[in-house]
Amino acid sequence: MIKIVTDSTAYLSEAMIQQYDIRVVPLYIHFGNEAFREGVDLSDPDFYARLKEAPELPTTSQPSAGEFLEVFKELSGAGHEILVMTISSNLSGTWDSAMAAKNMLPEAQIEVIDSLSTALGLELIVKAAAEAVAGGASLQEVAAMAEEIKGKLHVLFVVDTLEYLAKGGRIGNAKAFLGTILKVKPILFLQDGRIEPLEQVRSRHKAQARMLDLIAERLGDQGPQAQTAVTHALVPDEAQRLKQELVARLGCSEPLMTDIGPVIGTHTGPGTVGIAAYV
């Protein structure tokens, strides 16, 4: 049997984790000398409350190779093949840790996929892989499908401020947007696993509407067949409206809805909303 392993930045629902028996290896959030495992030691509400009061921004770090190795030993020892999907290697060292652990178990059947994404994008890839495994696909077939999806995936998001990305060092070429007037909201996207600037729009509402336009343009007449997801950080009403507009605009089925947790929230900040889609 194939077992799926991912990291905590996929922000999977507990229902999905239980349904497909997915193993989640947590990343870490550091407030000063305190370290917390994402999704284990620190809830989302507690994280954002601490973020608001923290004199300095927290930092994040990847799980160790040893943490992946422990999971791999358990699963392979029980006779399972293993498919691992991680946050983009251009955003975190998590993929490196998973690969190092794989190389420590050369006798095990392990495929490690660099999603070149995270959060809602990674969640969509994991969901598709889990469904394929449940449908009887082989390890090689599921790995190939995951690679195909990541090449078709569109991930766009609007942050309330670039402050968090800049201070966390994950801003990439979006630094070109720094210094713009306060009311301009940047639309960013993931390209080759990196955060890149797309457009600037004058207001949150207009930026979200433009994000919908861009997704619709990229999918063209394939919108009704799209697999989609919506995410947010502390703006559930905006995310719910975005989800409804996405369905109305594309004619697609109900999108996945997820909250942005501590690791990604450290870098994007409160008020972020995002859309992921692929056909």
Side-chain angles (χ1 to χ4, degrees):
M1 180 179 292
I2 301 167
K3 292 295 184 181
I4 288 177
V5 178
T6 190
D7 65 66
S8 58
T9 71
Y11 303 128
L12 305 180
S13 69
E14 190 60 34
M16 189 186 299
I17 291 170
Q18 294 297 327
Q19 179 180 356
Y20 297 109
D21 193 23
I22 297 169
R23 296 295 295 271
V24 178
V25 179
L27 277 75
Y28 288 84
I29 309 98
H30 305 268
F31 282 95
N33 293 324
E34 293 183 277
F36 301 89
R37 291 171 295 172
E38 183 174 48
V40 179
D41 305 320
L42 189 65
S43 70
D44 290 1
D46 287 346
F47 163 73
Y48 284 108
R50 291 190 65 141
L51 182 65
K52 184 177 180 181
E53 301 298 329
E56 294 183 359
L57 285 180
T59 58
T60 60
S61 63
Q62 72 265 25
S64 67
E67 288 169 289
F68 276 106
L69 182 61
E70 185 177 334
V71 174
F72 294 172
K73 281 183 174 179
E74 177 191 337
L75 296 178
S76 63
H80 299 301
E81 297 178 313
I82 304 168
L83 178 65
V84 190
M85 289 162 283
T86 73
I87 179 175
S88 170
S89 61
N90 289 316
L91 298 176
S92 168
T94 302
W95 179 82
D96 295 309
S97 293
M99 285 297 296
K102 172 187 174 177
N103 292 334
M104 295 176 195
L105 282 179
E107 72 280 4
Q109 294 297 309
I110 305 172
E111 292 283 347
V112 181
I113 304 293
D114 177 359
S115 75
L116 296 181
S117 191
T118 188
L120 69 176
L122 177 55
E123 179 185 31
L124 283 176
I125 297 172
V126 170
K127 178 176 182 285
E131 290 173 346
V133 168
S138 70
L139 180 62
Q140 289 69 32
E141 287 169 341
V142 182
M145 183 199 67
E147 291 284 359
E148 181 182 357
I149 290 173
K150 83 181 194 186
K152 301 188 295 185
L153 192 60
H154 304 285
V155 179
L156 280 68
F157 59 105
V158 176
V159 295
D160 198 45
T161 171
L162 287 169
E163 170 192 1
Y164 296 92
L165 282 167
K167 289 184 177 179
R170 301 303 198 279
I171 195 167
N173 290 327
K175 62 187 176 184
F177 283 174
L178 286 172
T180 56
I181 63 172
L182 188 63
K183 290 184 179 180
V184 170
K185 300 302 176 187
I187 300 174
L188 307 172
F189 74 117
L190 287 176
Q191 183 175 50
D192 299 325
R194 294 182 175 85
I195 295 169
E196 300 287 356
L198 195 56
E199 294 185 6
Q200 298 178 84
V201 184
R202 291 179 180 272
S203 82
R204 287 180 62 83
H205 180 73
K206 289 181 179 178
Q208 292 172 23
R210 179 58 182 152
M211 187 164 56
L212 281 169
D213 289 342
L214 291 166
I215 286 288
E217 289 171 10
R218 291 179 177 207
L219 296 178
D221 59 6
Q222 292 184 299
Q225 289 79 49
Q227 298 295 313
T228 60
V230 173
T231 194
H232 73 95
L234 298 186
V235 284
D237 292 344
E238 291 182 23
Q240 187 63 36
R241 184 182 68 245
L242 198 61
K243 184 176 84 165
Q244 293 169 351
E245 291 175 352
L246 188 64
V247 172
R249 184 72 177 271
L250 299 182
C252 60
S253 57
E254 187 84 353
L256 295 174
M257 175 76 90
T258 188
D259 298 342
I260 295 173
V263 167
I264 301 303
T266 291
H267 301 290
T268 59
T272 299
V273 292
I275 298 173
Y278 76 90
V279 176

